Amino acid sequence: MQNIPIILPDYPDKVFNEMIFVEGGEFTLGDGSYEDNPPTPVKVSDFWISKYLVTQDLYEAVMGKNPSYFKGTKRPVERVNWLDAIQFCNRLSELMGRKQVYDIQDIGNGVLIPDLNKYGFCLPSEVEWEYAGRGGQFQSLYKFAGSDYSDEVCWYNENSHQETKPVGLKMPNML
């Protein structure tokens, strides 16, 4: 299945990101390293997920602002909260001609249930995020998602100078 590019109408010649198809499967959520994180077998349905974290250039093109501290068009947007993230998803859905998944007017007492039948953009569930981050059905090939060496696939305090880095600089996982 082919990736789907994210191209906004105001920027017809610019691909901001791509959506990657993730074939569902089964895996164990959690690793037992914390008392409230027992290993739990989970089934995941097929889904689509962004190839990269939302970059500052995409966030600014959609929302008209960039709240990030570490500036850089290809760096992931940061300093956004949950409500900012769902408003971004709704606005991106609208710009891409899709239905908004979240009814923010119905947020009520802090519970917001997405209508996934609307096929707009939404935040991945915890299960989807972990499954995709591990490499989906290919997760058992490496110690880390995409490599046996953490420096090849991820940023952390010791190798990032404690700042965000542009997306796509590390080796991808098998998805």
Side-chain angles (χ1 to χ4, degrees):
M1 191 165 288
Q2 191 172 9
N3 297 347
I4 298 175
I6 296 177
I7 302 171
L8 301 178
D10 289 346
Y11 306 90
D13 299 326
K14 182 173 176 69
V15 175
F16 284 93
N17 205 332
E18 291 180 283
M19 299 300 292
I20 305 291
F21 181 74
V22 180
E23 186 177 343
E26 297 180 16
F27 80 111
T28 302
L29 178 67
D31 61 6
S33 59
Y34 301 101
E35 185 176 309
D36 63 345
N37 190 21
T40 307
V42 181
K43 287 185 179 183
V44 182
S45 298
D46 296 348
F47 63 98
W48 289 86
I49 194 164
S50 178
K51 182 175 182 177
Y52 300 117
L53 298 172
V54 174
T55 58
Q56 293 174 34
D57 62 344
L58 175 57
Y59 191 87
E60 190 166 0
V62 170
M63 301 302 287
K65 60 184 176 182
N66 180 359
S68 299
Y69 179 77
F70 298 108
K71 300 290 188 193
T73 60
K74 294 301 177 197
R75 290 181 187 219
V77 69
E78 18 108 356
R79 296 188 177 216
V80 294
N81 61 33
W82 174 79
L83 185 56
D84 295 332
I86 64 170
Q87 288 173 328
F88 169 81
C89 290
N90 275 353
R91 180 76 180 121
L92 180 60
S93 296
E94 182 182 303
L95 290 171
M96 297 288 291
R98 295 171 176 250
K99 302 276 187 195
Q100 294 183 356
V101 170
Y102 301 103
D103 182 359
I104 298 173
Q105 303 305 315
D106 194 32
I107 200 166
N109 58 0
V111 176
L112 182 66
I113 300 172
D115 183 351
L116 300 178
N117 293 318
K118 292 188 176 175
Y119 299 106
F121 292 92
C122 62
L123 301 175
S125 69
E126 177 184 5
V127 170
E128 291 169 338
W129 180 258
E130 186 165 336
Y131 185 71
R134 290 182 181 191
Q137 293 186 350
F138 307 104
Q139 62 186 301
S140 62
L141 298 178
Y142 297 106
K143 180 177 179 181
F144 302 101
S147 174
D148 287 328
Y149 306 100
S150 61
D151 279 351
E152 292 180 347
V153 294
C154 67
W155 295 110
Y156 52 94
N157 281 345
E158 286 78 21
N159 74 354
S160 69
H161 305 100
Q162 298 185 353
E163 64 181 27
T164 63
K165 301 292 183 186
V167 300
L169 296 180
K170 295 290 185 177
M171 291 175 45
N173 69 22
M174 299 304 291
L175 291 175

